[in-house]
């Protein structure tokens, strides 16, 4: 089955009267359930202002997921950065991983050219994917060390 990958960014529109972490957890929880069912993998980045997400899987399944995401009021201004057929998955171990900026991942942001906030004007699919893959790898190594 041919694979497809879609990358977009959007503006955060989470409920400001509630804590961010449980709202992010709710998004990740339903994403993990649905993506496992639909055989979709990927990564979600959040930096207070924006979401950036990569979704990979069978073409129709990716577009179906994206259509649901597009309607979600927890973000707005959803803008596709890249959508293309690909040879292989980059996030094979993540149904939907949270690629967070924290002490463990900060160097990956700097190394891949994101010393400050992600600027959508200069965001390229290659750079954002490079960053997400590095963070996924860091997460995997931490899991292995903890096991
Ligand atoms: P539903 O039964 O419609 O919803 C499941 C739960 O999600 C509900 O119990 C509710 O608590 C919560 N919820 C749904 N919509 C809202 C809302 N507008 N505001 C607050 N809470 C709500 N879904 C995926 O399947 N895969 C993804 O990779 C994915 N990534 C996302 C990334 C972002 C940045 C955002 C904002 C959402 C993402 N979602 C993703 C969620 C998606 O937008 C839909 O909410 C979800 O797919 C609906 O799934 P459902 O119909 O099975 O569940």
């Amino acid at each position: 089955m041919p694979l497809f990958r879609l990358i977009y960014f959007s503006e955060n529109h989470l409920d400001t009267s509630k804590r961010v972490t449980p709202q992010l957890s709710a998004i990740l929880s339903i994403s993990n359930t649905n993506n496992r069912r639909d055989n979709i993998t990927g990564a979600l980045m959040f930096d207070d202002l924006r979401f950036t997400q990569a979704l990979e899987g069978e073409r129709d399944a990716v577009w179906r997921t994206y259509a649901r995401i597009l309607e979600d009021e927890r973000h707005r201004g959803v803008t596709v950065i890249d959508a293309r057929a690909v040879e292989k998955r980059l996030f094979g171990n993540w149904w939907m991983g949270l690629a967070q900026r924290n002490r463990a991942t900060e160097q990956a942001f700097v190394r891949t050219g994101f010393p400050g906030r992600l600027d959508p004007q200069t965001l390229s699919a290659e750079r954002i994917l490079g960053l997400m893959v590095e963070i996924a790898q860091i997460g995997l190594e931490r899991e292995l060390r903890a096991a």
Side-chain angles (χ1 to χ4, degrees):
M1 189 70 77
L3 280 170
F4 195 75
R5 184 180 308 118
L6 184 145
I7 307 169
Y8 74 82
F9 70 83
S10 62
E11 290 165 35
N12 170 16
H13 200 234
L14 292 174
D15 186 340
T16 50
S17 70
K18 296 185 184 146
R19 285 176 52 229
V20 168
T21 309
Q23 295 184 75
L24 271 183
S25 298
I27 290 173
L28 286 172
S29 171
I30 191 69
S31 300
N32 272 287
T33 305
N34 289 349
N35 295 355
R36 182 185 287 268
R37 174 196 68 202
D38 300 334
N39 203 16
I40 285 183
T41 47
L44 178 66
M45 290 183 66
F46 177 71
D47 75 349
D48 295 331
L49 290 184
R50 274 178 209 99
F51 292 100
T52 311
Q53 188 174 31
L55 297 161
E56 56 189 21
E58 193 263 314
R59 182 188 293 259
D60 288 352
V62 169
W63 284 118
R64 268 199 306 275
T65 302
Y66 177 69
R68 285 200 310 275
I69 292 173
L70 205 50
E71 294 295 315
D72 199 309
E73 289 163 10
R74 291 170 285 188
H75 61 170
R76 50 170 60 167
V78 180
T79 307
V80 172
I81 305 172
D82 195 47
R84 67 175 71 195
V86 292
E87 305 246 310
K88 62 180 176 67
R89 289 179 192 266
L90 291 176
F91 305 100
N93 55 327
W94 270 6
W95 297 116
M96 189 46 61
L98 182 62
Q100 263 185 315
R101 188 165 200 148
N102 55 34
R103 244 189 305 160
T105 60
E106 180 60 29
Q107 277 313 308
F109 277 83
V110 175
R111 251 197 317 276
T112 46
F114 297 104
R117 279 192 184 283
L118 271 65
D119 177 359
Q121 303 303 325
T122 60
L123 214 57
S124 77
E126 290 72 26
R127 283 172 69 218
I128 198 72
L129 272 180
L131 174 58
M132 286 174 163
V133 167
E134 266 214 46
I135 294 177
Q137 192 58 38
I138 291 169
L140 183 64
E141 283 165 12
R142 290 184 115 195
E143 277 171 32
L144 287 175
R145 273 201 303 273

